[in-house]
Amino acid sequence: MKLLRYGAPGQEKPGLLHTDGTLRSLAGVIEDVSGKALSGASLDGLRRHEIDKLPVVDPATRLGPCVAGVGKFMCIGLNYSDHAAESGMDVPAEPVLFMKATSAIVGPNDDVVIPKGSEKSDWEVELGVVIGETAKYVSEQEALNYVAGYCVVNDLSEREYQLERCGQWVKGKSCDTFAPLGPYLVTKDEVADPQNLDMWLEVDGRRYQDGNTRTMVFGVAKLVSYLSGFMSLHPGDIISTGTPPGVGLGQKPPVYLRPGQQMRLSIAGLGEQTQRTVAWDA
């Protein structure tokens, strides 16, 4: 299934993408695409539902973030060896873990706001892993059993805040609008192999990133298992698994976002995002 959320910001309702291409409402069927609705039992129940009888949603309706009530937004840095190289950093011996503020989350096609005074805002197409069952000390072999599905994430970054200011990466990753999610949460049964997904990102029609999840240093199962050894993962938590090469920081000379540009990005089978960059306005 391809689960989604539609409607005005803060007023989104749950829905799904029907196999006939129409958007259908799940309002009244589940409370939201969040928490216990992401469990295996809940998703199995949705698969048995009479989808053809669900109300059709206007296709022009805004899509919101595909997951609501995200408790933890975990991110993995330098998880593609060629991206580490373009960043001038070593491939890590263990996953590089940081967190992104959930207040950065927006819909897949919402505007991205360039922070006040920013000169180094950057893009990163990433595979997002959505947790469906509480996971604690799970093995790598069992880890995918705790996954509800996958989504596209644009892990936007302000490189000055991230790399040139004191402290942790989180402040360069957490600016408002710096986490577009969706358009869909694609349940894991529709993703044959999360380690073989093509992914790309374009800015103003120029393709900068063109990679595949097979080149991850640490795969999805390893990441879920690894993180569960440090903290409980709960339904609706998201793991953003790193980006392939082609970010603005890695260009020679570096290229960064400015207001008035358009980003397009996609991961095979998970849908496409489009964002316009706008200036911060107090």
Side-chain angles (χ1 to χ4, degrees):
M1 291 180 295
K2 293 180 173 64
L3 302 176
L4 54 88
R5 301 173 66 248
Y6 65 92
Q11 302 176 39
E12 293 94 346
K13 298 178 181 179
L16 57 76
L17 180 68
H18 195 298
T19 54
D20 65 8
T22 59
L23 303 183
R24 300 296 180 110
S25 177
L26 286 171
V29 179
I30 59 172
E31 184 174 343
D32 210 336
V33 184
S34 63
K36 62 182 180 182
L38 299 175
S39 70
S42 175
L43 295 177
D44 286 343
L46 284 180
R47 291 186 185 96
R48 293 191 296 270
H49 203 82
E50 295 184 90
I51 303 301
D52 291 336
K53 294 184 178 180
L54 292 173
V56 175
V57 177
D58 182 346
T61 303
R62 168 189 175 269
L63 294 181
C66 61
V67 183
V70 176
K72 294 190 287 296
F73 199 140
M74 316 302 298
C75 301
I76 308 300
L78 305 174
N79 198 31
Y80 288 72
S81 56
D82 33 12
H83 171 57
E86 74 172 353
S87 302
M89 301 180 186
D90 295 332
V91 174
E94 292 187 35
V96 173
L97 175 62
F98 60 94
M99 299 183 80
K100 198 173 183 87
T102 57
S103 55
I105 295 173
V106 291
N109 304 314
D110 289 346
D111 289 346
V112 165
V113 179
I114 304 299
K116 182 179 180 180
S118 169
E119 296 183 354
K120 295 183 179 180
S121 290
D122 202 351
W123 56 83
E124 294 188 12
V125 59
E126 303 202 5
L127 174 67
V129 179
V130 182
I131 299 299
E133 308 280 354
T134 299
K136 181 67 174 176
Y137 298 123
V138 302
S139 70
E140 189 170 343
Q141 292 71 31
E142 298 174 329
L144 295 186
N145 295 332
Y146 296 82
V147 171
Y150 305 93
C151 66
V152 181
V153 177
N154 191 350
D155 177 25
L156 288 135
S157 311
E158 213 298 337
R159 301 302 188 188
E160 179 190 354
Y161 302 172
Q162 177 191 2
L163 302 173
E164 300 174 33
R165 306 279 288 271
C166 295
Q168 299 180 348
W169 287 6
V170 62
K171 63 179 178 285
K173 298 284 188 170
S174 297
C175 304
D176 292 350
T177 75
F178 268 30
L181 294 184
Y184 318 118
L185 187 171
V186 181
T187 53
K188 63 183 178 184
D189 58 297
E190 294 196 7
V191 180
D193 183 0
Q195 302 309 148
N196 188 23
L197 299 174
D198 290 330
M199 55 205 308
W200 56 266
L201 181 145
E202 297 176 352
V203 180
D204 291 341
R206 175 178 171 181
R207 185 159 295 196
Y208 282 93
Q209 292 188 275
D210 203 347
N212 187 288
T213 56
R214 73 171 66 94
T215 65
M216 283 185 186
V217 178
F218 306 105
V220 171
K222 173 65 177 181
L223 294 175
V224 172
S225 174
Y226 182 84
L227 291 178
S228 78
F230 296 98
M231 67 197 79
S232 295
L233 300 175
H234 296 116
D237 286 350
I238 293 175
I239 305 170
S240 199
T241 57
T243 197
V247 300
L249 174 67
Q251 306 304 308
K252 301 186 183 305
V255 176
Y256 296 113
L257 294 166
R258 60 185 186 278
Q261 294 187 294
Q262 184 186 74
M263 287 178 284
R264 291 178 61 235
L265 56 150
S266 181
I267 299 177
L270 305 186
E272 181 177 313
Q273 299 184 357
T274 301
Q275 295 114 24
R276 180 175 64 115
T277 57
V278 298
W280 179 86
D281 185 358

